[in-house]
Amino acid sequence: MKTKKGGQNVNPARKESNTQKTPERWPMNNEKTIIILIRHGETTANRDGIFRGRKDFPLNENGILQAQQLAEHIAKKFSLDAIYSGPLSRTTETAAPVAEKFNIPLQIEPRLNNISLGSWEGVPYSEIERKYPEQYHLWLTEPEKLRIPDGETLADVRIRSVESVDESVRKHTEQTIALVSHRAVIKPLIAGLIGLPAPYFWKIHIDNAAYCIIYHNLERGFEIYQSNINSYLGQFVVEEGG
């Protein structure tokens, strides 16, 4: 993991992954549904290299600041109609300032909850590597093939998260919505929406409190318009493993 300061010494591969300039403010939408897909802010587990899963780590001090920076940015760029969050505190604490900016209710969506990692939850990467070297290597290379006892697979997450987004798009057609979730949900969700085959997990990157913009229209389906937008963040941890 590396700590980065926004705008300073950022690896080009970790900058906002887009080829189009973000408009000063997003126009009102009357042709497509716009989905703002947000990863939660930083926790101590992100900084300390600990598997999270569904263990309820709250935002740390920097994560709280990131949530405020995110909310200020979103309020300047979008007109938001609805916001949904997974149930864990790190997602609700990230989503709450955004909901407050738009004076809209924060709606909890269980299908946006993080992947269940069973006995790995709350355990440092280094300990998992020592106890389960083959499984840990699989996580770092082809996590789509990994099944942890008492946990979910990425395929499980992909199915439930895509179902959730499909339902949200039907409910909010031609509106702009925000969904706040986790790295291990956002990656299989993106793969599912645009039909990416495995292996895909380590080919998609999103930082804490960064977001992606996804379009949907009836003729073309889903389109990834921009990804890993993070220019408003002061500091963030770049997680390259674990």
Side-chain angles (χ1 to χ4, degrees):
M1 282 181 292
K2 302 175 184 177
T3 301
K4 300 295 185 185
K5 291 186 177 181
Q8 298 181 13
N9 301 321
V10 177
N11 182 335
R14 299 308 188 202
K15 288 183 179 179
E16 294 177 14
S17 304
N18 65 76
T19 57
Q20 305 187 47
K21 186 177 180 181
T22 303
E24 247 181 64
R25 183 171 179 83
W26 226 259
M28 292 294 289
N29 176 42
N30 58 10
E31 295 180 354
K32 59 178 73 71
T33 305
I34 298 175
I35 302 163
I36 307 167
L37 187 55
I38 302 168
R39 186 185 178 194
H40 66 78
E42 184 182 298
T43 72
T44 55
N46 296 112
R47 187 166 287 273
D48 295 341
I50 296 171
F51 278 103
R52 280 87 59 189
R54 294 188 179 178
K55 190 172 179 63
D56 201 4
F57 293 98
L59 297 182
N60 63 12
E61 184 176 350
N62 190 47
I64 293 170
L65 177 60
Q66 289 175 338
Q68 293 294 335
Q69 292 168 334
L70 169 71
E72 294 286 345
H73 173 85
I74 296 293
K76 292 176 182 176
K77 296 287 185 181
F78 298 93
S79 295
L80 201 61
D81 297 291
I83 182 166
Y84 294 85
S85 169
L88 297 181
S89 60
R90 56 188 179 271
T91 49
T92 59
E93 290 171 0
T94 302
V98 179
E100 290 170 8
K101 283 286 184 183
F102 291 92
N103 194 28
I104 56 177
L106 172 56
Q107 303 178 64
I108 302 303
E109 168 52 278
R111 288 172 293 183
L112 296 178
N113 200 359
N114 203 14
I115 187 172
S116 173
L117 291 176
S119 61
W120 288 25
E121 294 182 353
V123 182
Y125 303 156
S126 57
E127 185 175 337
I128 295 297
E129 183 179 19
R130 179 175 57 81
K131 288 183 176 179
Y132 312 106
E134 292 183 6
Q135 288 178 296
Y136 185 74
H137 177 72
L138 195 60
W139 171 256
L140 293 180
T141 55
E142 295 181 280
E144 297 86 356
K145 296 181 178 179
L146 180 63
R147 179 177 286 277
I148 299 168
D150 301 320
E152 285 183 293
T153 66
L154 288 170
D156 296 330
V157 177
R158 177 170 175 156
I159 291 168
R160 65 171 164 85
S161 60
V162 169
E163 286 177 350
S164 176
V165 171
D166 282 341
E167 183 179 302
S168 295
V169 166
R170 288 193 298 270
K171 184 177 180 180
H172 298 285
T173 300
E174 297 185 356
Q175 294 184 341
T176 299
I177 61 174
L179 310 176
V180 185
S181 192
H182 306 261
R183 178 179 69 166
V185 177
I186 291 171
K187 291 186 177 191
L189 172 57
I190 288 174
L193 293 179
I194 63 173
L196 287 180
Y200 60 81
F201 191 85
W202 294 115
K203 297 178 181 180
I204 301 170
H205 183 86
I206 185 163
D207 294 305
N208 288 120
Y211 70 95
C212 307
I213 299 170
I214 300 173
Y215 288 162
H216 179 270
N217 65 46
L218 294 177
E219 290 76 24
R220 296 163 124 182
F222 292 97
E223 171 192 354
I224 309 302
Y225 185 72
Q226 291 180 296
S227 65
N228 200 38
I229 300 168
N230 59 21
S231 59
Y232 47 88
L233 296 175
Q235 288 190 351
F236 56 93
V237 172
V238 177
E239 296 174 286
E240 296 178 333

